[in-house]
Structure formats: C-alpha cells, structure tokens
Amino acid sequence: FFLLSLRHGTPSTPGGDASMSLTLHTNYGDIKVELNCEDTPRTCRNFLGLAAAGVYDDTKFHRNIKGFMIQGGDPEGTGKGGVSIYGGKFKDEIVPTLKHSKRGVLSMANSGKDTNTSQFFITYRPHNHLNGKYTVFGSVIDGLEVLDKLERIPSDDAGRPLQDIIISGVTIHANPLA
C-alpha cells in the first residue's frame, strides 16, 4: 500500500518513510529499482505518477549503448517525445551525494538543463562525467542479470536496439525490499 499525491507532498509509505521501489517488467526479465524520493521528490513523484497511469506500459527502450546506458520512457518510442505529470518540462533535482558512480544508476534523460519529462536511463557502469547534468533518482536493487542481458543486445550506429526491448508494465511497491 502506498500513498501518492500528485498535487501535494512527496510519495510516501504509511508512517512517513519516503523510500519507494518499483519493478520494470521487460520482455527480458524484471528490473527492480529503489527510488530516492526524499532527495528527489519532484522527479520521483513524476516517475511514480507516470508509472501508475500506465504511461510506461508497452513502451520501448529506444537507446541501448554497451558500456554506457539504456534509455526509455518515451511513449512515442523515438527518443524525441516525452510527457510529465506537470504538463511540461520540469527542473532538475541535482543532489551532490547522488552520483553516476556504479552500474544500475537510474537517472532522468534530458535535452539540457531543466528539460525533464518521462525519459529515463539506467547506467551500465559508472559515468562520473554525467554528474551534475542529470538527476539521479534511484538505482537497481534487483535484476542486474537482466541489465546484463540488455547490454548484450546489439544496436545500430545511433544506439537503437536491433531487437525490441519492451517495458510491458510496471509494479509499484511501497517497501523497497518487497
């Protein structure tokens, strides 16, 4: 059970714990991520709101670059689209302690400062050059073996996967260990 207000406050579990997780169900297996709701409330509210509304259901990961990252969240599947619960682009939430310091970091994709919508990416390895440019709002806590499978899928020269990688649905959990 979780509470989510799209107008007021941050996502929270009963008792005030702002730790949340969700599972991305892909055609290659499940990836469970823990969200940093306390540090990045606006970003997490957007991500959870879009997930709860089914925006990510049946969408493609449209970019997959070995050794770098996999990117999805564009309802159009082109990498040029995106929506937010705020009706437009929203500001970055750069937190100095949240870094692209490991495999499985979850960040918002953007086209420049304060241009976040629905697109996100998961890193395949540390990428410190991304720090301060993209909002880190979570990390993979289960399913790194699925990330391994996805990284092995070949892509064209533009980073588009040669095989469809689909998010079939999302399950939102209140307890990150559930």
Side-chain angles (χ1 to χ4, degrees):
F1 177 76
F2 75 97
L3 304 172
L4 176 63
S5 170
L6 300 182
R7 292 188 191 130
H8 308 291
T10 61
S12 63
T13 57
D17 180 5
S19 186
M20 297 281 295
S21 68
L22 58 77
T23 300
L24 301 171
H25 303 287
T26 79
N27 55 329
Y28 288 88
D30 292 346
I31 300 171
K32 188 174 185 179
V33 296
E34 183 174 14
L35 303 178
N36 299 316
C37 296
E38 189 170 313
D39 292 323
T40 56
R42 189 169 177 81
T43 302
C44 288
R45 190 177 310 118
N46 180 69
F47 194 68
L48 288 163
L50 294 173
V55 171
Y56 295 123
D57 295 357
D58 300 315
T59 61
K60 292 181 183 182
F61 279 103
H62 60 272
R63 193 167 177 218
N64 188 33
I65 301 173
K66 185 177 180 170
F68 184 35
M69 59 88 202
I70 186 164
Q71 183 174 333
D74 174 7
E76 298 173 18
T78 63
K80 296 178 181 178
V83 297
S84 82
I85 64 167
Y86 306 112
K89 297 174 181 177
F90 66 96
K91 291 186 177 196
D92 298 327
E93 290 180 296
I94 304 298
V95 178
T97 57
L98 299 177
K99 300 180 183 279
H100 299 89
S101 58
K102 63 182 181 178
R103 182 175 183 78
V105 171
L106 176 65
S107 294
M108 290 303 293
N110 63 43
S111 58
K113 184 175 173 49
D114 299 330
T115 59
N116 301 293
T117 56
S118 56
Q119 291 191 46
F120 63 92
F121 65 92
I122 301 171
T123 60
Y124 285 135
R125 65 181 182 86
H127 287 286
N128 292 326
H129 67 280
L130 301 176
N131 295 336
K133 298 176 185 169
Y134 300 90
T135 299
V136 173
F137 68 103
S139 62
V140 175
I141 57 172
D142 192 26
L144 286 172
E145 72 284 353
V146 176
L147 213 54
D148 293 341
K149 289 180 197 175
L150 300 180
E151 188 174 14
R152 289 191 294 267
I153 295 172
S155 296
D156 66 16
D157 291 341
R160 289 182 297 268
L162 297 178
Q163 301 166 19
D164 284 346
I165 306 170
I166 306 291
I167 299 171
S168 59
V170 179
T171 300
I172 299 172
H173 313 282
N175 178 347
L177 302 177

